[in-house]
Each structure stands twice: as C-alpha cells, then as structure tokens.
Amino acid sequence: MPRGLIVVCGATATGKTALALEIAQSINSIIISADSRQVYREFDIGTAKVTGSERELIPHYLIDICEPTETLTLAEYQEQAQNLVKSNITEFPLLVGGTGLYIKSIVKGLKIPRVSPQPQLRLQLQDLGQQQCYQIFKQVDPVGSEKIHVNDQVRTLRALEVFYATGIPISQQQGENPPSYPIIQIGLDCSSEELKKRIVERTKKMIEMGLIEEVEKLVKKYGWDLPLLKTLGYAEIINYLRGKLSLPEAEKEIISHTRQFAKRQRTWFRAYPEIEWFDTTSSNLVEEVLSKLEKSLTRLN
C-alpha cells in the first residue's frame, strides 16, 4: 500500500503536466495519467500527450495502453490505476489529469459494475426508443431511475445493459469504497480570460505541431468513422479535411469547444471541497504547491 496519493487536477490548459513533472522530480515519484483519451495510442497531438523526453524524466503510466479501435471501460481503468497505486513503486504516486470520473473512481473508490459493453443488446434497446427504454428502466430499477434523467439515453442504456447482463439493478451495484490511504488533492485554476488565452495558444501550437497531419494519418489507417476521431480537436479537423470548414473556422471551433469543455471540468472539480486550489499564473506556483505538500506529507510521517 502507498503511504498516500497526490492528485493534480483541473481544467484543460491549466498546466497540470508541467506542475506534475516538477512535483514528481522533487519527491522522486511517478505519474499515473487520468486522461480518458491519452490511454489510446497514436492520438498524441490532439490530446496534449506528454512527450517522449518528459516520459524519460519521470515514469508515466496508463498512457498508450490501448489501440484506437479498442474501448477502455471505466472499470478497467480503475482496476489498472488502483493496482499501480498499490504496487509500492513509490510511496506517494501522482494521479494527474482532467477526466473527473477517472479521478473520482480512485479517490472515492467507486463501485463499478464489471459488465462489458453489449453491442447487440444496445442496438435492440435503441430500436425501442428512449421513452420505452426508460419505462423499462423504471420497472426494473425504480431507485436507479430516479437518479437518471428521462432523456439521458447513454446512462439509461448502460443501466439496462447491466441489468440484463447480471439480473441485478445497477443501483444495487453502485456506491463508494474509499481507499484507506490519505489523499492530497491539488487543483489548478485561473481566470476565465487567462484560460481562454491559454486555450487559444495551445490550439495554435497543436496545429503548428502537426495536428492536421496526425488526423490525416489516422483517417488513412482507421477510416473516417473511428469514434475517437469524433472527439474534441479531431472532429473539427475532420470537418476541415472534408471541406466543411476552412482551417481558420476549424481552429475557431476547437477553441470554442475546448472552452466549453473546460467550463464543464471546472464545474465538476469545484464540487469537491477537499481539493486545494492554486492559481496557475502564480510566479511561485511550484514553491507554493511543494510547500503545501511538504506540510501535508510531514503530518503523515
């Protein structure tokens, strides 16, 4: 078991990677990624994946562990991350990223039904329509249906999928089992205007680094309909390559959609009072965070 876990979280473009590298070097630790797209190989520039040189500085885990044609479930991610945390590679591993559900699955110890996707069942349920599916859901799991909106097709289908695969309502299979080791959570944030500036700069940098060429290569290898190519940063470039958008329009849409995404991330993380927030624009950010960690780690000794 580790002596503790350090979480570095926050919205996209707030500087989590840079800070985590500084912390990991300072305390001789490792980094476990909590990014739902960086688990996939070949999706590099558009996901702001850490570089090879950064990985040489500090061991990184749960990056490039899946083929783009595969699907990593939350349960699979949680199991792999928990095993890494418990492996005693280091006393205080760092869990770093902006995928709130990934982080929550570890720090809260979410109980997740181990039911893999059932494509054929989903197709049959989708043919029934959302209204009919939700009525079935209410019949088999009245408790669970109260927590899911009547128009939430994704969660309704998942709930029915779990029920038909196990015979047990999803509400009876969920809950939390928090880990026994202490967790220190560091959040990075800044003003909306500063975040917008960072997102603009990052988007331009991605295009300069070869985002268009990356997407062209992925399309050539996997085709236009690969689900990952419909995600943020890739979908807009796909529309550019198909002639639906000019490059300036695609760039503008990436910026707009990234800002919307960042807003949702900020809302998610702000709901957790245990996160201690730091201003990413502070000239003494690293020192401030390391001072906080030193005090917290000292209390654990």
Side-chain angles (χ1 to χ4, degrees):
M1 293 290 288
R3 291 180 59 198
L5 176 67
I6 299 168
V7 175
V8 179
C9 62
T12 188
T14 50
K16 298 182 294 294
T17 298
L19 177 64
L21 284 168
E22 294 279 2
I23 297 172
Q25 289 179 85
S26 178
I27 66 173
N28 192 28
S29 188
I30 64 166
I31 292 175
I32 301 170
S33 173
D35 187 296
S36 61
R37 295 192 303 171
Q38 291 187 5
V39 298
Y40 297 101
R41 302 183 186 100
E42 301 177 72
F43 279 72
D44 303 328
I45 298 172
T47 65
K49 195 176 288 179
V50 288
T51 64
S53 58
E54 288 170 331
R55 292 192 224 187
E56 287 177 6
L57 278 176
I58 295 295
H60 283 70
Y61 296 87
L62 300 191
I63 291 175
D64 291 342
I65 59 172
C66 291
E67 295 299 329
T69 52
E70 298 173 335
T71 299
L72 185 77
T73 66
L74 178 62
E76 290 168 338
Y77 171 83
Q78 182 192 51
E79 181 178 12
Q80 293 190 46
Q82 286 176 332
N83 288 340
L84 281 166
V85 171
K86 296 174 184 176
S87 65
N88 290 321
I89 301 173
T90 182
E91 288 187 324
F92 295 97
L94 274 70
L95 183 66
V96 182
T99 301
L101 198 53
Y102 273 19
I103 293 173
K104 185 178 181 181
S105 75
I106 305 304
V107 302
K108 298 292 186 182
L110 294 182
K111 296 177 182 178
I112 306 167
R114 260 53 179 179
V115 175
S116 59
Q118 313 285 315
Q120 292 303 316
L121 175 59
R122 285 193 181 188
L123 286 174
Q124 293 176 40
L125 291 170
Q126 284 175 329
D127 285 343
L128 293 175
Q130 173 61 12
Q131 280 193 329
Q132 181 66 26
C133 284
Y134 193 78
Q135 288 305 313
I136 297 172
F137 181 27
K138 286 177 68 175
Q139 291 173 13
V140 301
D141 188 2
V143 174
S145 65
E146 291 181 1
K147 300 176 182 179
I148 296 177
H149 193 274
V150 63
N151 295 327
D152 192 335
Q153 183 184 45
V154 173
R155 294 176 68 195
T156 300
L157 289 175
R158 176 58 179 168
L160 290 177
E161 186 176 58
V162 169
F163 175 76
Y164 284 118
T166 65
I168 304 171
I170 193 171
S171 62
Q172 294 180 23
Q173 301 185 54
Q174 295 175 323
E176 296 178 358
N177 183 25
S180 57
Y181 49 80
I183 300 173
I184 304 165
Q185 298 194 59
I186 302 297
L188 288 182
D189 203 3
C190 56
S191 69
S192 296
E193 281 306 307
E194 173 64 24
L195 188 56
K196 177 184 177 181
K197 175 185 169 187
R198 286 167 169 258
I199 288 170
V200 169
E201 290 174 351
R202 189 165 92 156
T203 301
K204 291 183 181 298
K205 183 179 178 183
M206 284 179 173
I207 292 173
E208 290 170 2
M209 289 174 64
L211 178 58
I212 295 170
E213 291 77 11
E214 178 171 284
V215 176
E216 287 176 328
K217 182 179 177 182
L218 289 165
V219 168
K220 185 175 181 180
K221 186 171 183 179
Y222 299 105
W224 297 97
D225 296 324
L226 184 73
L228 279 171
L229 287 173
K230 298 175 183 177
T231 62
L232 180 60
Y234 292 92
E236 296 84 355
I237 297 300
I238 286 288
N239 284 335
Y240 161 66
L241 293 175
R242 286 184 146 175
K244 297 179 180 179
L245 295 172
S246 66
L247 184 54
E249 289 171 336
E251 182 178 322
K252 186 176 180 180
E253 285 205 356
I254 293 174
I255 292 168
S256 175
H257 295 159
T258 303
R259 291 183 68 195
Q260 292 166 11
F261 175 58
K263 184 177 181 180
R264 292 193 297 272
Q265 288 177 300
R266 295 171 91 183
T267 300
W268 172 286
F269 289 119
R270 284 291 180 183
Y272 296 93
E274 56 267 39
I275 298 174
E276 181 156 352
W277 292 96
F278 291 83
D279 185 347
T280 195
T281 63
S282 171
S283 58
N284 298 314
L285 174 64
V286 175
E287 291 80 5
E288 291 169 6
V289 172
L290 288 176
S291 175
K292 156 67 181 176
L293 290 176
E294 184 179 358
K295 292 174 184 176
S296 298
L297 298 180
T298 299
R299 288 198 296 268
L300 300 177
N301 290 332

